[in-house]
Amino acid sequence: MSHATPANLTSTKRPLLPTPGTHRRAQNAVALWWQAASASLRAMVMERFYLAGVGGGMLLLAVLPFMQVATYALLYGRSSDLFRYAAVGMIASAIVFQTAFWVGEILDRERVKGTLVPLFLAPCPRSAWLTGFILSGLVEISVVAGTSWLAAWLVFGVAFNVNVLTLVVIVPLFISALWGLGIICSGIGLLVKKANPFANLVWSAFSLLGGIFVPIDRLPRWLEIPAHALPIGYGIQALADASLNHA
């Protein structure tokens, strides 16, 4: 007796290959994501300059870091090791503040303006406009850090001995740790609906315990213990060693 074998059991299934329509949809999705990210980046940069004006915004970004470096020079003395450390700490403080509080403050400001819900309902990926907001903070970080570095080097004579390879490793790790801290701070700021006052309050503790003004190993013992619980002091000490001592 012969047994018939169903054709669907003997036929070889061909792997599914991407169709031109699939590629087109993927390209459109990437284009939409990039358009939303670049639009939010432009909007945030324009808003930052609108608050103080273009000239005032540029002047603020250029003068404020210089004045902060000058303050450290007066406090510690231009030739002291503490001043050299504090110069790096001030550059790092811009990274700490932006990563810890930037997104939370932006979202809370959008809530106050009544545009937060429309942002979440916009027909584009949320990660896109959030990325644009984050990139605007990175632009500001770069300007502030660059101005601070130039002021410390050219005006106050800080001798930088940079290990570029170490910085390439340290900076991404430092920012990654700070993003985790930023998620917590941003969430609390949105929860209490007072992100800016909350940031100002917490920033005082971060400045004291984070090793921005002085290495955490020089803090009193009762402050050194909680300081070691934060990632800030470790990162700033590593940045100082890599920037000043070629470590």
Side-chain angles (χ1 to χ4, degrees), residues 211-224:
I212 293 175
F213 303 119
V214 65
I216 58 176
D217 59 3
R218 297 198 183 188
L219 293 173
R221 183 62 179 172
W222 61 279
L223 288 177
E224 186 178 348

Side-chain angles (χ1 to χ4, degrees), residues 106-138:
I106 290 177
L107 294 179
D108 193 48
R109 190 160 59 242
E110 297 297 328
R111 178 191 62 80
V112 172
K113 293 190 300 184
T115 55
L116 183 59
V117 173
L119 272 175
F120 277 93
L121 296 178
C124 64
R126 294 173 184 174
S127 62
W129 52 264
L130 276 172
T131 299
F133 290 163
I134 293 170
L135 289 176
S136 67
L138 293 179

Side-chain angles (χ1 to χ4, degrees), residues 105-201:
E105 288 199 23
I106 290 177
L107 294 179
D108 193 48
R109 190 160 59 242
E110 297 297 328
R111 178 191 62 80
V112 172
K113 293 190 300 184
T115 55
L116 183 59
V117 173
L119 272 175
F120 277 93
L121 296 178
C124 64
R126 294 173 184 174
S127 62
W129 52 264
L130 276 172
T131 299
F133 290 163
I134 293 170
L135 289 176
S136 67
L138 293 179
V139 170
E140 191 165 324
I141 287 174
S142 301
V143 175
V144 171
T147 305
S148 303
W149 180 79
L150 287 174
W153 176 43
L154 296 177
V155 179
F156 297 99
V158 174
F160 290 98
N161 187 12
V162 181
N163 188 329
V164 177
L165 182 60
T166 303
L167 288 180
V168 169
V169 176
I170 290 174
V171 172
L173 292 176
F174 187 37
I175 292 178
S176 299
L178 292 175
W179 278 130
L181 192 62
I183 291 174
I184 297 173
C185 293
S186 298
I188 296 175
L190 288 173
L191 183 64
V192 300
K193 298 183 178 180
K194 294 290 183 181
N196 187 264
F198 174 76
N200 292 331
L201 177 64

Side-chain angles (χ1 to χ4, degrees), residues 217-241:
D217 59 3
R218 297 198 183 188
L219 293 173
R221 183 62 179 172
W222 61 279
L223 288 177
E224 186 178 348
I225 294 174
H228 282 293
L230 294 173
I232 303 172
Y234 299 103
I236 293 180
Q237 184 63 62
L239 290 174
D241 290 338

Side-chain angles (χ1 to χ4, degrees), residues 1-159:
M1 181 183 295
S2 63
H3 297 279
T5 304
N8 62 341
L9 295 180
T10 59
S11 61
T12 303
K13 292 184 178 180
R14 295 181 179 179
L16 295 177
L17 298 176
T19 62
T22 304
H23 285 297
R24 193 157 39 248
R25 286 193 296 271
Q27 291 174 352
N28 291 339
V30 172
L32 174 64
W33 190 95
W34 176 249
Q35 288 174 1
S38 58
S40 63
L41 170 61
R42 288 195 303 271
M44 188 51 54
V45 171
M46 291 177 63
E47 179 179 329
R48 296 290 288 180
F49 281 112
Y50 174 78
L51 294 175
V54 176
M58 294 299 294
L59 187 64
L60 183 64
L61 292 176
V63 173
L64 184 59
F66 172 81
M67 295 303 295
Q68 290 177 329
V69 175
T71 301
Y72 292 143
L74 290 173
L75 288 174
Y76 297 136
R78 295 176 57 174
S79 60
S80 70
D81 290 337
L82 275 179
F83 171 62
R84 297 173 68 239
Y85 173 89
V88 176
M90 202 213 71
I91 296 172
S93 69
I95 302 175
V96 175
F97 187 87
Q98 298 287 16
T99 51
F101 305 113
W102 180 254
V103 173
E105 288 199 23
I106 290 177
L107 294 179
D108 193 48
R109 190 160 59 242
E110 297 297 328
R111 178 191 62 80
V112 172
K113 293 190 300 184
T115 55
L116 183 59
V117 173
L119 272 175
F120 277 93
L121 296 178
C124 64
R126 294 173 184 174
S127 62
W129 52 264
L130 276 172
T131 299
F133 290 163
I134 293 170
L135 289 176
S136 67
L138 293 179
V139 170
E140 191 165 324
I141 287 174
S142 301
V143 175
V144 171
T147 305
S148 303
W149 180 79
L150 287 174
W153 176 43
L154 296 177
V155 179
F156 297 99
V158 174

